[in-house]
Amino acid sequence: MSATASAPKAPKTAKTAKTAKTAKTASSAGPAGSPRPASAAIRPDRKNRSRHLYNLIGLLTFVVMIFPVYWLVISALRPNAEIRSYDQTLWPSSITFDNFSRAMDQANFGTAVKSSLIVCVTAVVGAMIMATIAAYAIGRFRFKGRRIFMIVLILVQLLPPTAMLIPIYLQLNDLGALNEYWGVIIVYLVSTLPFATWMIRGFVINIPRELEESAMVDGCSQMGAFWRVVFPLLAPGLAAASIYSLINAWNEYLLAYVVLQDNDKYTLNVWLANFTTSRGVDYGALMAASTLIAIPVVAFFMVIQKKMAAGLTSGAVKG
């Protein structure tokens, strides 16, 4: 028997077993040492299913919104007999441009285009100038009644235009503005001014005051700093407000129909009524004319879409 006997092993106690279990759990944990939840493996699948569901909802919404525009363009390219047929298809059997020819040959087409351009361009440019000055005053200066004025700007938007049609007609009649371009221009300008002012104000607030102060230190006046420094930075906000004002003025029908009484002064939306006669409706030419009317707004939007997106996001951060 050897003199040095091996020491007996210590019995495995509950404390030792707990320590081993803790070490095993820590070895299977993540990089931070925290236990990995059992549902971590299925979370990516849930996220993918949610993303696919949202994509499907967005796609269905897009189809519902784009289908009327698609049907408008397709109907403008269909033969008139096929438009009146009960058997409608998503794609015409043959494509024709006769509808566009009849639409442009309609009486007063050129004068309607001229009237719409005069009224809409003047109203939008005037609204942008006045809204920019008003938004700068509200965003930069503190004066008595400023908060009340801002609340009024919002409340005015709650009034439906049709509810004010009779008072507007009476006022224009007293001013001698019936059947005049400038009467419609004033109403369009005033109707878009509150929202344009509010939108541009949100963008003015995001421009640092230090830029104007630096320009004034270099010798510019308050107005000079505004035109040379602030106004160029307002281009995205002006783009967003101008497309809103243009859409409102370009698509308006009721007021132009009531105020403008001569056929040679009708805007394009009122001119569309010429396709409805006692003998029926020329749907092909009507669809073609509607497509032609939509082109200027779409073209203007495509030109300024980048600045418009920047203006909407930048103007919505503060204020």
Side-chain angles (χ1 to χ4, degrees), residues 189-203:
L189 188 152
V190 172
S191 62
T192 59
L193 190 58
F195 183 80
T197 302
W198 188 266
M199 180 181 293
I200 299 175
R201 169 197 169 269
F203 198 79

Side-chain angles (χ1 to χ4, degrees), residues 3-88:
T4 60
S6 59
K9 293 183 179 180
K12 188 175 182 180
T13 62
K15 184 176 181 181
T16 306
K18 184 178 181 180
T19 303
K21 183 177 180 181
T22 303
K24 184 177 180 180
T25 304
S27 62
S28 62
S34 58
R36 182 178 300 173
S39 61
I42 61 175
R43 282 182 180 177
D45 294 336
R46 290 181 178 177
K47 291 181 178 179
N48 290 334
R49 286 196 296 268
S50 300
R51 184 169 63 251
H52 294 330
L53 178 62
Y54 293 147
N55 291 340
L56 180 60
I57 294 175
L59 180 61
L60 293 176
T61 304
F62 172 78
V63 171
V64 171
M65 295 179 66
I66 202 65
F67 183 77
V69 180
Y70 168 79
W71 195 256
L72 172 69
V73 177
I74 290 299
S75 298
L77 297 174
R78 291 179 188 270
N80 217 21
E82 187 175 342
I83 294 177
R84 297 178 179 275
S85 174
Y86 289 102
D87 299 328
Q88 297 291 328

Side-chain angles (χ1 to χ4, degrees), residues 120-129 131-132 188 192-193 195-197 199-200 234-250 296-297 300-301 303-305 307-309 311-312:
C120 295
V121 172
T122 307
V124 170
V125 172
M128 292 304 100
I129 294 175
T132 302
Y188 286 175
T192 59
L193 190 58
F195 183 80
T197 302
M199 180 181 293
I200 299 175
L234 290 177
L238 290 173
S242 63
I243 190 63
Y244 166 79
S245 301
L246 179 63
I247 290 175
N248 279 352
W250 191 265
V297 177
F300 183 71
F301 176 78
V303 171
I304 67 170
Q305 61 174 337
K307 291 185 178 296
M308 179 182 174
L312 289 173

Side-chain angles (χ1 to χ4, degrees), residues 34-297:
S34 58
R36 182 178 300 173
S39 61
I42 61 175
R43 282 182 180 177
D45 294 336
R46 290 181 178 177
K47 291 181 178 179
N48 290 334
R49 286 196 296 268
S50 300
R51 184 169 63 251
H52 294 330
L53 178 62
Y54 293 147
N55 291 340
L56 180 60
I57 294 175
L59 180 61
L60 293 176
T61 304
F62 172 78
V63 171
V64 171
M65 295 179 66
I66 202 65
F67 183 77
V69 180
Y70 168 79
W71 195 256
L72 172 69
V73 177
I74 290 299
S75 298
L77 297 174
R78 291 179 188 270
N80 217 21
E82 187 175 342
I83 294 177
R84 297 178 179 275
S85 174
Y86 289 102
D87 299 328
Q88 297 291 328
T89 57
L90 293 177
W91 188 257
S93 59
S94 61
I95 295 177
T96 179
F97 293 95
D98 292 339
N99 296 328
F100 291 93
S101 299
R102 292 201 312 276
M104 290 184 290
D105 291 339
Q106 186 73 22
N108 298 321
F109 173 71
T111 56
V113 173
K114 183 189 71 173
S115 298
S116 293
L117 291 177
I118 291 174
V119 171
C120 295
V121 172
T122 307
V124 170
V125 172
M128 292 304 100
I129 294 175
M130 298 179 65
T132 302
I133 297 174
Y136 180 75
I138 297 173
R140 281 290 187 263
F141 303 107
R142 299 293 182 267
F143 51 88
K144 188 176 181 179
R146 172 177 171 271
R147 186 175 297 275
I148 297 177
F149 179 72
M150 293 169 58
I151 295 175
V152 170
L153 285 179
I154 300 176
L155 294 179
V156 168
Q157 298 296 313
L158 301 178
L159 297 176
T162 53
M164 299 183 291
L165 183 60
I166 295 177
I168 290 174
Y169 180 85
L170 296 176
Q171 291 181 0
L172 293 179
N173 186 32
D174 294 338
L175 295 174
L178 293 180
N179 201 29
E180 298 290 342
Y181 287 140
W182 64 270
V184 182
I185 290 172
I186 290 177
V187 178
Y188 286 175
L189 188 152
V190 172
S191 62
T192 59
L193 190 58
F195 183 80
T197 302
W198 188 266
M199 180 181 293
I200 299 175
R201 169 197 169 269
F203 198 79
V204 169
I205 293 176
N206 290 327
I207 299 178
R209 291 178 178 267
E210 289 76 9
L211 297 178
E212 296 175 71
E213 294 173 355
S214 300
M216 295 173 67
V217 168
D218 292 338
C220 286
S221 61
Q222 181 80 40
M223 188 57 66
F226 167 73
W227 287 111
R228 292 178 173 83
V229 178
V230 178
F231 186 74
L233 297 177
L234 290 177
L238 290 173
S242 63
I243 190 63
Y244 166 79
S245 301
L246 179 63
I247 290 175
N248 279 352
W250 191 265
N251 294 334
E252 205 281 328
Y253 167 78
L254 185 59
L255 183 68
Y257 178 75
V258 172
V259 176
L260 300 176
Q261 301 169 354
D262 291 343
N263 291 335
D264 57 349
K265 289 186 177 181
Y266 280 163
T267 58
L268 285 169
N269 287 305
V270 182
W271 169 79
L272 287 177
N274 292 332
F275 296 99
T276 302
T277 63
S278 58
R279 294 178 295 177
V281 181
D282 188 354
Y283 289 104
L286 179 61
M287 295 297 179
S290 301
T291 304
L292 293 174
I293 291 175
I295 289 176
V297 177

